[in-house]
Amino acid sequence: MNAFCSFCGRETDAADHTACARRLQLIDPPRFCAQCARRMVVQVTPAGWTARCSRHGEISST
Amino acid sequence: MPPDEQQPESKETTLTAAPERTDRHTDGDVLEDVLEVAREQVLERGEGLTEEQVLRVLQLPDERVSDLLALAHEVRMRWCGPEVEVEGIVSLKTGGCPEDCHFCSQSGQFPSPVRSAWLDVPGLVRAARQTAETGATEFCIVAAVRGPDARLLSQVREGIAAIRADGNDIQIACSLGMLTQAQVDELVEMGVHRYNHNLETARSHFPQVVTTHSWEERWDTLRMVRDAGMEVCCGGIIGMGETLEQRAEFAVQLASLSPDEVPMNFLIPNPGTPYENYPVVEGPDALRAVGAFRLALPRTILRFAGGRELTFGDLGAKQGMLGGINAIIVGNYLTNLGRPAAQDLEMLDDLKMPIKALSQTL
Ligand code: SF4
């Protein structure tokens, strides 16, 4: 289980993240690292995205 | 309203057919039905609606929206034809913008989670290739800046050369903020055929949305772009607290510019921006805006752009395509994600709407 919400950056068990999950499912790439809540450097391209945490490395849509 | 209450399910906007025309009578006065007027004025003669007429369209009751969309579709077919222009966009420089457009997650003035990023040239070439593979004829390179500096322009120049060296002849548009005359000339010389610069909203509402530059400064860039022979792409965002009167004002201000393309965005309330708690535009309001803009701009490429996924969901997008829209952005946007391109291309196939071919645009 992720420690932090990738949409709002708050702890996953600190609040209801249903709306965050819907945004992530519909129109948003992750913005916060799910392991440490650092803001990630996100690049969106027509067919995907990459998100890089300075501590935990890069994740991508593929 | 908190953002978690703003996300509608993906659904077709329900519109009931009702023949009663409630806009005909006010205080005993008989007003001509605005859609009947539009049929003669816009469909037959190709003259866009006036501000007052656009307002009456925006005030139509829900029961008349399907009539409006049917007429807007006829207008689009008559004056633009059945083809749909497909475009992909990419952010070359993301975030950290010094301006304060209140809707924008890329402004450096708000606590938005969007961080600065630069796309390298190989990444730009890949993005252009992915876009061309969808059958798109347009690829727009966008940067979050007040206006381009020498570094950005040189990156654009290098990027365009690399896209061409990749054997990709897709038409290239740019959106790099406000320009000087020398920068306009440089973009023309690079082969940029269309320039996007949105007025965003009505002139009377703009100071509530942006304080770091003026509507008139944006207008000046658009005028220079037009005078230099580039195609003008200029639209805005519906749902930023503007009144219906201001929505009508915006439609006719756009029409007075005679833009080649108008992208219609619907507000995405992004975290950290001043508009993060604004409600998502309701489907019927958005459809009224689509129909009204088509009736104000009968010959313009009217493009579905950002926010349609939240506002319309999957099925509602079809209603827009059958209500005056004749262009779409496929794939992802600049900082938000769109539907997979294949899904939109399938939708166009279902609607039997052909994708405009590159040869038709040259
Ligand atoms: S100028 Fe463009 S990138 Fe900058 S804040 Fe305004 S909309 Fe965002």
Side-chain angles (χ1 to χ4, degrees), chain B residues 19-36:
Chain B
E20 199 182 345
R21 292 174 174 169
T22 53
D23 58 331
R24 273 179 170 251
H25 304 275
T26 55
D27 297 334
D29 291 335
V30 177
L31 285 177
E32 258 190 297
D33 180 72
V34 72
L35 296 186
E36 278 170 24

Side-chain angles (χ1 to χ4, degrees), chain B residues 97 99-101 103-104 106-107 144-145 200 213 218:
Chain B
C97 180
E99 302 305 292
D100 76 344
C101 311
F103 55 86
C104 183
Q106 300 196 66
S107 167
V145 289
E200 306 298 8
H213 59 268
R218 290 192 176 221

Side-chain angles (χ1 to χ4, degrees), chain B residues 249-269:
Chain B
E249 178 196 335
F250 184 39
V252 297
Q253 283 165 344
L254 285 173
S256 73
L257 182 68
S258 298
D260 298 280
E261 175 190 336
V262 169
M264 285 190 82
N265 296 272
F266 302 92
L267 180 72
I268 297 175

Side-chain angles (χ1 to χ4, degrees), chain B residues 81-99:
Chain B
E83 290 85 15
V84 175
E85 191 185 86
V86 176
E87 178 186 54
I89 61 175
V90 77
S91 177
L92 178 61
K93 187 248 167 199
T94 303
C97 180
E99 302 305 292

